[in-house]
């Protein structure tokens, strides 16, 4: 992006989407990475993988509501994957 205001707006958009996708707890725990959206998305992805693993474990233990938790974690992972592509693209365009 040629101007810094465009880059700043894109970074704010990615950060806002991170909050919506992963929820306030995970978003807060990665606040220190706000200026580096690709790294923040990666960290949130790692948190979501942990969440998925915990939900899958509960599912294997036949815990009620575990299926919903697995589905929710999978949606987060899918959305974070898409967001990672966008964050990387923003970083590439800014480097040009």
């Amino acid at each position: 992006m040629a101007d810094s205001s465009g880059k700043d707006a894109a970074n704010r958009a990615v950060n806002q989407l991170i909050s919506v996708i992963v929820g306030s707890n995970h978003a807060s725990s990665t606040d220190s990475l706000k200026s580096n959206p690709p790294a923040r998305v990666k960290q949130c992805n790692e948190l979501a993988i942990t969440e998925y693993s915990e939900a899958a474990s509960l599912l294997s233990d036949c815990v009620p509501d575990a299926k919903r938790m697995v589905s929710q974690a999978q949606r987060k992972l899918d959305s974070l994957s898409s967001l990672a592509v966008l964050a990387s693209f923003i970083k590439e365009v800014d480097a040009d």
Side-chain angles (χ1 to χ4, degrees):
M1 291 187 186
D3 62 55
S4 65
S5 64
K7 178 188 177 201
D8 292 343
N11 284 341
R12 278 193 306 276
V14 170
N15 283 314
Q16 180 185 15
L17 290 170
I18 285 171
S19 288
V20 171
I21 293 167
V22 301
S24 60
N25 288 340
H26 288 333
S28 294
S29 71
T30 60
D31 270 349
S32 64
L33 298 170
K34 274 187 172 181
S35 63
N36 187 352
R40 189 173 190 199
V41 171
K42 183 179 179 187
Q43 180 66 37
C44 286
N45 194 62
E46 290 171 8
L47 294 169
I49 288 170
T50 300
E51 184 178 325
Y52 182 89
S53 296
E54 291 169 358
S57 176
L58 293 174
L59 185 62
S60 68
D61 293 339
C62 299
V63 171
D65 210 30
K67 190 172 185 177
R68 180 197 57 80
M69 294 166 71
V70 168
S71 295
Q72 182 180 16
Q74 185 61 57
R75 280 192 307 274
K76 285 182 186 182
L77 289 167
D78 292 344
S79 296
L80 285 167
S81 177
S82 297
L83 198 55
V85 171
L86 292 174
S88 293
F89 178 75
I90 291 166
K91 191 171 185 174
E92 281 180 31
V93 170
D94 184 50
D96 290 345

